[in-house]
Amino acid sequence: MRLTQLNRECLLHLFSFLDKDSRRNLSLACRQLREVYLDPCLWNLLHFSSPCQLRWDNYVLGPSLRYLTICWYSSRVQLVCNIEDWLKTSFQKDICSKHESLVSTFLAHVCHM
């Protein structure tokens, strides 16, 4: 039996066990799997381990979103942004500003969904 011979409910259930990247990669295989990937029911929980992950094309925002986490202080962000503003270089301030803007824009988009 092929994966695409399963009904939509079974495919949604299988997709629910995959992480964001695996879901996206599998969705590239065929149109039917892409439609399952785009189903809002699949995306009730989103976790991002860094603000830069908000730019990736491996998730779908929709009305089913019930739980969202964005780990602001990943190891990379922590090295740059977790110090007092007056101690930051202009480069560090620029990176922190971009992260803040990215997260704010993303959260505004989530509110409009």
Side-chain angles (χ1 to χ4, degrees):
M1 178 180 250
R2 292 182 186 161
L3 183 62
T4 56
Q5 290 176 320
L6 296 173
N7 67 29
R8 186 174 185 86
E9 290 76 26
C10 289
L11 289 172
L12 277 168
H13 185 70
L14 291 173
F15 265 71
S16 72
F17 290 99
L18 302 175
D19 64 18
K20 293 187 304 277
D21 291 324
S22 299
R23 288 176 183 178
R24 182 182 177 281
N25 291 338
L26 188 56
S27 78
L28 300 174
C30 71
R31 183 184 52 78
Q32 182 184 7
L33 295 177
R34 182 69 178 172
E35 289 173 5
V36 172
Y37 171 80
L38 295 174
D39 190 315
C41 297
L42 186 63
W43 300 97
N44 60 353
L45 179 141
L46 285 174
H47 173 74
F48 300 95
S49 57
S50 171
C52 67
Q53 288 183 347
L54 300 175
R55 294 184 191 165
W56 297 354
D57 185 25
N58 65 351
Y59 61 90
V60 174
L61 286 179
S64 296
L65 183 63
R66 298 290 178 255
Y67 188 78
L68 169 68
T69 58
I70 304 170
C71 183
W72 186 259
Y73 294 108
S74 67
S75 58
R76 289 182 181 171
V77 174
Q78 199 168 23
L79 290 173
V80 176
C81 295
N82 198 21
I83 56 176
E84 296 294 329
D85 279 341
W86 63 275
L87 290 172
K88 292 177 186 171
T89 66
S90 59
F91 176 72
Q92 289 170 316
K93 288 179 183 178
D94 185 49
I95 289 175
C96 294
S97 174
K98 286 180 181 176
H99 282 147
E100 288 174 11
S101 175
L102 183 66
V103 171
S104 295
T105 302
F106 177 80
L107 291 176
H109 187 66
V110 168
C111 290
H112 291 333
M113 295 303 286

